[in-house]
Amino acid sequence: MVSNVKKIYHIRLLTDSVCIILCFGAAQILSSRSFTNRDFFLLFFLLIGWYFSSRYTELYDEFRTVKYIDEFLVLIPNIIVQGVTLMIYLFLINDRVYARKLVFLDILLVLLLMTLQKYLFKKISLFIYEKGYKIKNILIVGTGESAVSFYKIFSESPQFGYKVAGFIDEHKPEFLNGKYSGNLASLEEILKKKSIHEVIVALPTFNKSYVEKIIHITEKEGVKTRIIPEYSQYGFKQYKLELFGGNPILTLRKNPLEEWHFRLIKRLFDIVFSLVVIIFIFSWLIPVIAILIKLDSKGPIFYLQERWGKNNQKIICFKFRSMYSESSTRKKDGGFWQTEKDDPRITKVGKFLRRTNLDELPQFFNVLLGDMSVVGPRPHAVQHNIESKEQIDNYLLRHWVKPGITGWAQVNGYRGETKDIALMKKRVEFDIWYIEHWDIWLDIKIITVTVYNMIKGEMMAY
């Protein structure tokens, strides 16, 4: 099964690589640009760029083959990477004569040819397997959630070349609709009768003796056996399986930013984005806001607050002061006083700064220093963290990554005062979802929505 999927992956990667080479050659001819020896290096970088961008965007994941539109949408960022790579190369060699025409033609040709190629690839694959060519029969042991989920994948993806011949279990569920083949005692007979190529063990609980009997029978008949552990009982949807000293280790929560290359991409993006903001916006906006704050109330322009960053490390968070300087964050009972609607501590200018998120802008200095990221779970005050981690499950998982100026929870409406435990839990759920599903395109989406919200203003910003 894995070999079939890998074979499909290599075929798709190879055909895409051929498309890149053909499109580049055609773009060269149509733009009247002569091919030189150094263009071999360009082709090499274009292919390497495609390989890494396709891995990053998961272009060749199995689920991409289920619907054509899914694969097409993920194709776009990969083509953008090709265009950017081409532009950088032409800039470095100072080739301005053919640059625009070559880049335009190459991107256009790659888009057209890739779109057509992937459509034809899907149609041809479906035609081959619908005709029964090289179809392999699979027998699934178990009728639990994982077993049924596996069955649905093969039913919806005939291009993989597998067909579920039936299920075996000690009890016959009614929902199998004729797919029940028998129990363990009849396994040997089923393997012979139905010409089974592979057996998938998908039991809800691991029973060593039961699995050993299955393996004994399948190996006697020369049939491959694959075992799918049942992890859904833990309630996790994101997993990461690794080998440590030859031993398999399962991490129950996926965190892409544990990978150094993803951290590097995010860090480079943070540095470039924060520098652009500081140079082109802070240069004129900080003096304006500073004057307004000073005219509105006495006290410093900036407000420095200790908060928790990545791995619960304390950081000093920069903000424009939006409250009266003598204001306290402590209630009379000693608890943390969150900002609330019509909060008497907030100044007139402070209300505007909070509503437009402008009070958070100095945190771009935190980003530049490496304490924060442009996008991530919002950092909370120390006392807020101490109180919240006792009330909300998984609260401190938010601190697996650097805190952000804006975040997935904020753009989904979970910002501002969070006295309601249910809303606080929801915010944490969004933060954890962001950590498990991070990619650079998600960051760009969150930044775009944040800018839009800043322009229109937010009801929960006070």
Side-chain angles (χ1 to χ4, degrees):
M1 177 183 307
V2 177
S3 61
N4 255 27
V5 173
K6 284 185 177 178
K7 188 184 295 183
I8 294 171
Y9 163 76
H10 288 131
I11 292 172
R12 294 167 69 195
L13 178 60
L14 178 61
T15 53
D16 285 354
S17 299
V18 171
C19 284
I20 290 170
I21 295 171
L22 292 175
C23 290
F24 179 73
Q28 289 267 32
I29 295 170
L30 293 173
S31 63
S32 302
R33 183 178 184 270
S34 58
F35 193 88
T36 62
N37 289 334
R38 61 186 178 183
D39 287 335
F40 283 109
F41 290 101
L42 173 57
L43 258 180
F44 173 76
F45 286 122
L46 288 175
L47 292 172
I48 291 296
W50 182 268
Y51 173 78
F52 283 106
S53 67
S54 65
R55 290 290 298 272
Y56 180 74
T57 58
E58 300 179 334
L59 176 64
Y60 301 117
D61 270 21
E62 297 95 1
F63 82 91
R64 302 288 185 210
T65 64
V66 177
K67 292 182 180 179
Y68 175 71
I69 187 64
D70 291 327
E71 192 172 10
F72 175 76
L73 291 175
V74 181
L75 187 64
I76 304 302
N78 289 279
I79 294 176
I80 292 173
V81 170
Q82 289 288 293
V84 171
T85 303
L86 190 53
M87 284 189 288
I88 292 173
Y89 174 81
L90 294 172
F91 173 77
L92 291 176
I93 66 171
N94 198 27
D95 188 345
R96 300 180 183 180
V97 179
Y98 303 97
R100 293 182 183 179
K101 195 172 182 180
L102 181 63
V103 171
F104 172 76
L105 287 171
D106 187 64
I107 292 175
L108 179 63
L109 290 172
V110 170
L111 178 61
L112 294 175
L113 189 57
M114 287 278 193
T115 302
L116 178 61
Q117 175 258 122
K118 292 190 178 302
Y119 179 78
L120 291 175
F121 186 90
K122 179 176 289 295
K123 289 298 181 182
I124 292 170
S125 299
L126 289 173
F127 176 78
I128 289 173
Y129 292 121
E130 282 174 0
K131 293 298 180 181
Y133 180 67
K134 288 190 175 181
I135 289 288
K136 291 186 177 181
N137 292 321
I138 287 179
L139 185 68
I140 298 179
V141 179
T143 55
E145 185 178 338
S146 290
V148 174
S149 175
F150 226 69
Y151 170 68
K152 288 180 179 178
I153 289 172
F154 287 118
S155 299
E156 296 170 356
S157 309
Q159 64 269 26
F160 291 148
Y162 290 95
K163 178 183 178 183
V164 177
F167 293 80
I168 72 166
D169 205 343
E170 297 310 300
H171 304 284
K172 180 181 179 180
E174 295 180 359
F175 62 82
L176 289 181
N177 297 325
K179 283 290 183 180
Y180 180 75
S181 299
N183 56 19
L184 180 60
S186 57
L187 175 59
E188 189 172 344
E189 181 184 349
I190 295 167
L191 295 179
K192 295 176 182 177
K193 186 178 179 181
K194 296 193 174 184
S195 299
I196 302 299
H197 296 93
E198 297 186 21
V199 171
I200 308 298
V201 180
L203 297 169
T205 56
F206 185 78
N207 184 322
K208 184 180 179 182
S209 61
Y210 192 83
V211 173
E212 284 177 346
K213 290 176 183 177
I214 294 170
I215 295 172
H216 175 75
I217 295 170
T218 55
E219 291 191 346
K220 178 184 174 183
E221 296 300 322
V223 176
K224 286 183 180 180
T225 306
R226 304 187 189 275
I227 300 174
I228 302 175
E230 176 58 77
Y231 299 128
S232 59
Q233 58 184 304
Y234 300 111
F236 298 100
K237 299 298 182 183
Q238 297 289 321
Y239 311 105
K240 184 179 180 182
L241 186 62
E242 301 171 289
L243 288 177
F244 186 81
N247 298 305
I249 296 177
L250 181 75
T251 303
L252 293 180
R253 289 192 184 275
K254 183 180 176 184
N255 179 6
L257 288 171
E258 286 183 336
E259 305 288 343
W260 70 268
H261 49 280
F262 288 149
R263 290 200 304 274
L264 177 62
I265 290 171
K266 188 171 175 65
R267 181 61 184 147
L268 289 174
F269 178 83
D270 285 342
I271 291 172
V272 172
F273 193 89
S274 56
L275 281 174
V276 169
V277 171
I278 290 170
I279 294 171
F280 294 101
I281 297 180
F282 277 18
S283 56
W284 59 269
L285 187 59
I286 282 185
V288 173
I289 294 177
I291 293 171
L292 292 174
I293 291 173
K294 280 294 186 181
L295 290 175
D296 186 47
S297 61
K298 295 180 180 179
I301 297 168
F302 297 103
Y303 173 66
L304 309 182
Q305 186 180 46
E306 190 179 80
R307 299 190 179 188
W308 283 4
K310 184 180 178 182
N311 297 325
N312 304 331
Q313 296 296 313
K314 292 179 181 179
I315 63 172
I316 300 300
C317 193
F318 307 141
K319 293 183 69 174
F320 282 122
R321 181 175 60 84
S322 59
M323 292 185 177
Y324 293 103
S325 56
E326 64 273 11
S327 300
S328 173
T329 57
R330 293 274 185 170
K331 295 181 179 178
K332 292 181 180 179
D333 60 5
F336 179 72
W337 188 358
Q338 292 188 59
T339 309
E340 54 193 19
K341 193 172 184 179
D342 299 322
D343 196 317
R345 297 172 297 170
I346 300 176
T347 65
K348 293 178 181 178
V349 170
K351 289 180 181 179
F352 169 75
L353 294 176
R354 285 175 172 269
R355 189 169 63 252
T356 56
N357 290 326
L358 290 174
D359 63 319
E360 313 285 1
L361 282 182
Q363 287 165 29
F364 279 103
F365 290 112
N366 286 108
V367 174
L368 204 57
L369 292 171
D371 296 331
M372 293 178 62
S373 179
V374 177
V375 181
R378 285 292 299 147
H380 295 156
V382 174
Q383 187 62 30
H384 190 183
N385 284 316
I386 294 172
E387 294 176 6
S388 297
K389 74 185 183 71
E390 301 299 332
Q391 299 174 307
I392 304 170
D393 292 337
N394 307 323
Y395 178 82
L396 290 184
L397 298 186
R398 302 170 70 253
H399 298 161
W400 280 4
V401 298
K402 291 180 183 180
I405 298 175
T406 183
W408 185 237
Q410 282 64 44
V411 298
N412 280 280
Y414 294 96
R415 61 156 296 166
E417 186 182 17
T418 51
K419 290 181 180 179
D420 189 327
I421 293 295
L423 292 177
M424 292 170 69
K425 289 180 177 178
K426 203 68 181 175
R427 175 184 285 184
V428 172
E429 286 177 15
F430 273 92
D431 287 335
I432 293 174
W433 186 94
Y434 167 80
I435 293 171
E436 293 181 335
H437 294 82
W438 176 87
D439 64 46
I440 198 66
W441 307 108
L442 179 60
D443 276 6
I444 293 171
K445 175 182 177 180
I446 292 171
I447 292 170
T448 304
V449 176
T450 300
V451 172
Y452 172 75
N453 289 340
M454 286 177 66
I455 295 171
K456 74 168 187 176
E458 297 184 78
M459 293 296 294
M460 292 299 294
Y462 42 80

